[in-house]
Amino acid sequence: PLKQVRANMIVTVMVLLFMALPSLNQVTFQLFSCHTVAPGVVRVSGDLELPCFGSTHLLYALLLGVPAVCIYVVGIPVSAVLILRRMHLRGKLFKPREESYTASVYQFLYGGYTEETYYWEAVILLRKAMLNVILVTMQASSAMTQALAVQIVLLGSIIAHNTLQPYSNMILNRLELSSLCLSYSTLYAGLFLFDEGVSKSVKMVLTISLLSLFCVSIVGFVVSMCIFTSKKRRKEIQEGAHQLNLALK
């Protein structure tokens, strides 16, 4: 039917946009990023031949940068939340395909989350956008300043995730929380590596500790995903067997 074709086309476009969104955000913020190449000489980070906020730069920023921010950084996440909210108010979210075709079409936006946190994909996009802002616009800042700014974002993400527990499966909640804590710990330890007052032996211990932590985290991630996949597969088999028994009766 024409309705299904249109819905599938919309979803295809949205999936492609969501996949490309981090790169698009990074390119967008680079239009507003400047770099000091010499005392009193400030150039655009993406093109060092252009004076920062000169006539040409302002033209690009206004005609390309501002619309890109409105579309990629704000428009797409807000549109996704509005679509999900409308479906949530109509009671169509988390419904099987037989009851609501639209819900199954947009399931990639809310699948895996709880009914209370169906919007969490937009929160993740917001976090990625904030990290892009820090990494692109603070290129002239020191590594310690950038790390502290990123830590603030990660700390807020850890608190929000631990409070709301957005995933419907506890294993996924633990994995996401562990990855956020690992990122925060890595940046925190990295601050000591950039400190010239810290001895080489201490930096060596920190480096070895971080590498060991990464190895343990990878093993833990693989084991957790195996457990999650096994439980999910077992549940599907049990549901299939139950439906077969009902059909035979």
Side-chain angles (χ1 to χ4, degrees), residues 15 34 66 76 112 114 120 126-128 131 140 154 206 219 225 231 242 247:
V15 169
C34 297
V66 174
I76 294 178
T114 63
W120 200 255
L126 176 62
R127 183 179 72 207
K128 293 179 179 179
L131 293 176
L154 291 178
L206 284 174
V219 174
M225 289 305 299
K231 288 184 177 180
H242 179 67

Side-chain angles (χ1 to χ4, degrees), residues 25-26 38 47 83 93 101 114 129 145 149 151 157 168 171 179 190 208 227 244:
N25 287 340
Q26 186 175 4
D47 188 352
I83 291 173
L93 281 185
Y101 178 79
T114 63
T145 303
Q151 278 186 311
S157 301
S168 57
I171 294 179
S179 65
I208 295 174
I227 295 174
L244 181 62

Side-chain angles (χ1 to χ4, degrees), residues 57-86:
H57 183 207
L58 282 175
L59 185 64
Y60 280 117
L62 292 176
L63 296 182
L64 295 177
V66 174
V69 170
C70 295
I71 295 173
Y72 300 136
V73 181
V74 180
I76 294 178
V78 171
S79 299
V81 172
L82 291 177
I83 291 173
L84 294 180
R85 178 171 174 78
R86 183 180 63 181

Side-chain angles (χ1 to χ4, degrees), residues 46-58:
D47 188 352
L48 297 179
E49 295 182 357
L50 291 179
C52 188
F53 292 107
S55 58
T56 304
H57 183 207
L58 282 175

Side-chain angles (χ1 to χ4, degrees), residues 55-244:
S55 58
T56 304
H57 183 207
L58 282 175
L59 185 64
Y60 280 117
L62 292 176
L63 296 182
L64 295 177
V66 174
V69 170
C70 295
I71 295 173
Y72 300 136
V73 181
V74 180
I76 294 178
V78 171
S79 299
V81 172
L82 291 177
I83 291 173
L84 294 180
R85 178 171 174 78
R86 183 180 63 181
M87 295 174 60
H88 177 68
L89 294 176
R90 294 179 178 179
K92 292 184 177 181
L93 281 185
F94 300 94
K95 295 294 184 180
R97 186 184 183 92
E98 295 76 15
E99 296 183 23
S100 176
Y101 178 79
T102 309
S104 64
V105 168
Y106 292 101
Q107 191 173 10
F108 78 97
L109 289 174
Y110 66 87
Y113 301 116
T114 63
E115 295 188 13
E116 294 78 16
T117 56
Y118 61 88
Y119 55 84
W120 200 255
E121 191 67 30
V123 176
I124 295 177
L125 289 177
L126 176 62
R127 183 179 72 207
K128 293 179 179 179
M130 294 174 66
L131 293 176
N132 277 326
V133 170
I134 294 172
L135 297 177
V136 173
T137 61
M138 296 181 65
Q139 290 180 353
S141 304
S142 64
M144 184 172 293
T145 303
Q146 294 183 41
L148 288 174
V150 173
Q151 278 186 311
I152 294 174
V153 176
L154 291 178
L155 183 60
S157 301
I158 291 172
I159 294 173
H161 182 89
N162 190 52
T163 302
L164 298 176
Q165 298 288 310
Y167 292 100
S168 57
N169 189 283
M170 288 306 300
I171 294 179
L172 297 180
N173 279 318
R174 295 192 188 101
L175 285 175
E176 179 70 9
L177 183 61
S178 299
S179 65
L180 291 171
C181 291
L182 179 62
S183 300
Y184 184 89
S185 302
T186 302
L187 285 172
Y188 185 79
L191 295 177
F192 293 95
L193 297 178
F194 286 100
D195 190 352
E196 296 180 356
V198 179
S199 63
K200 291 184 178 180
S201 58
V202 173
K203 291 183 179 180
M204 181 63 68
V205 172
L206 284 174
T207 302
I208 295 174
S209 300
L210 286 175
L211 291 175
S212 301
L213 183 60
F214 289 151
C215 293
V216 172
S217 300
I218 292 173
V219 174
F221 174 79
V222 173
V223 172
S224 298
M225 289 305 299
C226 290
I227 295 174
F228 171 74
T229 305
S230 176
K231 288 184 177 180
K232 184 178 180 180
R233 183 60 178 170
R234 191 182 304 116
K235 183 179 179 180
E236 291 176 352
I237 294 175
Q238 291 175 352
E239 291 178 351
H242 179 67
Q243 292 178 359
L244 181 62

Side-chain angles (χ1 to χ4, degrees), residues 16-36:
L16 293 176
L17 285 175
F18 269 73
M19 292 176 61
L21 206 55
S23 299
L24 292 173
N25 287 340
Q26 186 175 4
V27 173
T28 299
F29 292 129
Q30 282 180 346
L31 291 172
F32 303 95
S33 178
C34 297
H35 182 69
T36 302

